[in-house]
């Protein structure tokens, strides 16, 4: 093999290794998922990354051994068009605004039927002919002309799938932003902006072939789409692992086995403060931010960001602020007039008098 071929093989190893690494991250963080919706999301991303890894591995096989690639061509075809569908499935799940929305499995019909048709057709074509098609990308005989066009059509079909499903993903994202803006009037910036960046990068990568004349004598044109793909992987994995999204809650089953569908909504200041005033979770001295995410139907990152942006303080400071308010109310009332300061501090959720003194000394109350 030539030096250029070796360089191409090493370049194509980057998306394979990166995708497999992301698969491993989804597996390792799977057990940390609090809700079934999060586990479903990570399973979808695992299959997306696996499709990407297998597809790019087939590209390496294509350059290394045309004969071996013939046996993998149908699976390679399936993986390259399956990437777009699986990622759209993930985007669909992220942008649900109603728990009654269901992803239609018909989307997976064509990614399975087209490669299957190729597999069946290839059974009637000699292996040596298929190897020659891979090697020279042209029909050996006129009778195999249409088979050759079908055999080598996966790049164009993958391009069309990626383009269509990227547009569908952007359409859903814009709809999601509009609904969330209507449900939360005090929303300062749209959620899932990172998803919009990933979808736009898909469109940019599709435009890379148009730049080929500018890089006719350079290897950069081969690395640019791969570099964009690595950036996309980084954005997706980071935001999924840290929980930078708000999933629509699924159906809840009551004791009488009747199903109740709960409408999701972004966390608003009024809803959050009502919950804190009525339930008073801060009275628990062992309270952690993860104790609130199930009741508020959100995740840790979103709740932490919400508190920081709304009240200008982190979660711990906000909880201590609530406890100081509770302590002031206890001191002003007559119900516990004879109780010690330590007892009142414990009733306010501080756990001990020292914690109360430390919080008061920092003077965190700023409402």
């Amino acid at each position: 093999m030539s030096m250029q071929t070796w360089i191409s093989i090493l370049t194509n190893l980057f998306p394979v290794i990166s995708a497999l690494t992301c698969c491993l991250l989804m597996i390792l963080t799977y057990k940390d998922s609090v809700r079934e919706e999060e586990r479903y999301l990570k399973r979808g991303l695992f299959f997306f990354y696996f499709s990407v890894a297998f597809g790019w591995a087939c590209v390496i096989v294509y350059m290394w051994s045309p004969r071996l690639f013939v046996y993998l061509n149908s699976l390679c075809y399936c993986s390259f068009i399956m990437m777009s569908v699986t990622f759209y499935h993930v985007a669909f799940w992220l942008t649900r605004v109603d728990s009654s929305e269901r992803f239609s499995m018909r989307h997976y019909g064509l990614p399975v039927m087209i490669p299957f048709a190729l597999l069946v057709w290839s059974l009637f074509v000699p292996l040596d002919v298929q190897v020659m098609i891979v090697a020279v990308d042209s029909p050996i005989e006129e009778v195999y002309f249409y088979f050759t066009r079908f055999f080598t059509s996966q790049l164009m079909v993958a391009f069309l799938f990626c383009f269509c499903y990227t547009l569908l993903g952007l359409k859903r994202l814009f709809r999601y932003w509009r609904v969330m803006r209507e449900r939360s009037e005090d929303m300062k910036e749209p959620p899932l902006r990172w998803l919009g960046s990933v979808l736009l990068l898909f469109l940019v990568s599709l435009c890379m072939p148009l730049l080929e004349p500018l890089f006719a004598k350079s290897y950069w044109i081969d690395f640019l789409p791969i570099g964009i793909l690595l950036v996309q992987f980084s954005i997706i994995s980071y935001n999924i692992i840290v929980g930078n999204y708000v999933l629509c809650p699924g159906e809840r089953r009551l004791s009488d086995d009747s199903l109740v569908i709960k409408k999701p909504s972004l966390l608003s200041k009024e809803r959050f403060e009502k919950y804190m005033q009525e339930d008073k979770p801060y009275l628990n001295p062992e309270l952690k931010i993860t104790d609130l995410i199930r009741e508020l139907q959100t995740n840790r990152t979103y709740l932490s960001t919400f508190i920081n942006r709304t009240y200008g303080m982190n979660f711990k400071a906000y909880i201590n602020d609530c406890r100081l308010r509770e302590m002031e109310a206890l001191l002003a009332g007559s119900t516990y007039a004879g109780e010690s300061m330590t007892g009142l501090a414990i009733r306010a959720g501080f756990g001990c008098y020292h914690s109360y003194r430390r919080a008061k000394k920092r003077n965190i109350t700023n409402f």
Side-chain angles (χ1 to χ4, degrees):
M1 287 188 293
S2 65
M3 180 61 66
Q4 182 178 355
T5 302
W6 278 110
I7 293 176
S8 298
I9 290 176
L10 293 175
T11 301
N12 291 320
L13 272 175
F14 281 100
V16 176
I17 296 173
S18 179
L20 291 177
T21 301
C22 291
C23 283
L24 182 60
L25 289 174
M26 293 302 106
I27 294 174
L28 295 177
T29 59
Y30 185 82
K31 59 182 178 60
D32 297 328
S33 303
V34 178
R35 298 161 53 194
E36 176 59 29
E37 290 85 356
E38 297 177 38
R39 291 189 285 271
Y40 186 92
L41 176 64
K42 290 181 179 179
R43 288 197 298 268
L45 277 174
F46 173 84
F47 287 113
F48 165 70
Y49 287 129
F50 184 81
S51 298
V52 174
F54 186 84
W56 283 95
C58 288
V59 172
I60 296 175
V61 174
Y62 170 81
M63 293 182 290
W64 176 58
S65 175
R67 179 173 292 273
L68 179 58
F69 179 79
V70 168
Y71 295 103
L72 299 175
N73 191 38
S74 297
L75 292 176
C76 180
Y77 206 138
C78 181
S79 64
F80 266 109
I81 58 180
M82 193 69 76
M83 297 176 195
S84 303
V85 182
T86 51
F87 188 76
Y88 174 70
H89 194 164
V90 171
F92 181 96
W93 196 252
L94 286 168
T95 56
R96 286 199 316 162
V97 294
D98 193 315
S99 58
S100 62
E101 288 186 287
R102 291 292 180 269
F103 183 82
S104 175
M105 300 306 290
R106 295 178 181 178
H107 289 281
Y108 289 104
L110 282 177
V112 174
M113 292 174 58
I114 295 176
F116 181 75
L118 175 62
L119 176 62
V120 174
W121 197 350
S122 64
L123 296 177
F124 300 94
V125 178
L127 177 62
D128 291 338
V129 173
Q130 297 183 52
V131 173
M132 289 301 297
I133 292 173
V134 174
V136 300
D137 193 20
S138 62
I140 306 304
E141 301 177 23
E142 187 175 351
V143 68
Y144 300 121
F145 177 81
Y146 292 106
F147 175 77
T148 302
R149 298 280 73 83
F150 190 22
F151 192 92
T152 59
S153 64
Q154 52 187 287
L155 288 180
M156 179 57 66
V157 174
F159 175 91
L160 293 175
F161 266 77
C162 185
F163 180 74
C164 293
Y165 277 100
T166 299
L167 293 182
L168 287 175
L170 287 171
K171 180 181 177 181
R172 281 196 59 87
L173 183 60
F174 289 141
R175 170 178 171 266
Y176 175 81
W177 284 342
R178 176 176 55 81
V179 173
M180 292 300 101
R181 191 175 294 109
E182 293 173 355
R183 292 181 177 179
S184 180
E185 297 180 355
D186 59 344
M187 186 177 66
K188 297 181 180 179
E189 58 183 39
L192 293 181
R193 290 189 303 170
W194 61 268
L195 179 59
S197 301
V198 171
L199 292 171
L200 289 176
L201 285 174
F202 273 123
L203 294 180
V204 171
S205 63
L206 292 178
C207 297
M208 286 294 103
L210 301 178
L211 302 177
E212 189 170 0
L214 301 177
F215 297 90
K217 297 181 180 180
S218 173
Y219 296 128
W220 285 106
I221 189 62
D222 296 327
F223 186 76
L224 278 176
I226 294 177
I228 293 175
L229 192 64
L230 298 182
V231 171
Q232 289 174 297
F233 287 174
S234 301
I235 295 174
I236 298 169
S237 297
Y238 172 77
N239 285 279
I240 293 300
I241 291 174
V242 302
N244 190 15
Y245 55 87
V246 180
L247 291 178
C248 172
E251 296 178 340
R252 306 289 180 181
R253 186 172 296 275
L254 301 180
S255 57
D256 59 354
D257 291 336
S258 61
L259 290 176
V260 177
I261 297 178
K262 303 177 74 172
K263 298 286 184 179
S265 62
L266 282 179
L267 194 59
S268 65
K269 183 177 180 181
E270 293 76 15
R271 177 188 166 204
F272 178 69
E273 291 184 353
K274 181 180 179 182
Y275 168 73
M276 297 299 293
Q277 292 169 6
E278 294 180 354
D279 290 59
K280 296 187 176 182
Y282 53 82
L283 297 182
N284 176 14
E286 303 297 329
L287 180 69
K288 300 184 293 295
I289 192 170
T290 52
D291 297 331
L292 304 183
I293 59 178
R294 186 176 296 276
E295 293 294 331
L296 297 173
Q297 298 177 1
T298 182
N299 59 59
R300 176 174 181 167
T301 301
Y302 183 84
L303 180 57
S304 177
T305 303
F306 170 81
I307 294 174
N308 187 272
R309 291 177 178 173
T310 304
Y311 302 104
M313 61 182 75
N314 58 31
F315 173 76
K316 182 178 179 181
Y318 176 79
I319 294 301
N320 280 336
D321 185 271
C322 293
R323 290 167 177 165
L324 284 174
R325 288 176 177 270
E326 186 72 18
M327 187 68 173
E328 292 174 1
L330 293 175
L331 290 172
S334 58
T335 306
Y336 304 100
E339 193 162 348
S340 65
M341 291 293 290
T342 299
L344 292 176
I346 293 175
R347 288 187 180 275
F350 283 107
C352 66
Y353 182 70
H354 177 69
S355 297
Y356 162 67
R357 291 291 300 172
R358 185 170 61 248
K360 188 175 181 179
K361 183 178 180 180
R362 291 177 179 177
N363 193 25
I364 64 171
T365 304
N366 60 356
F367 285 30

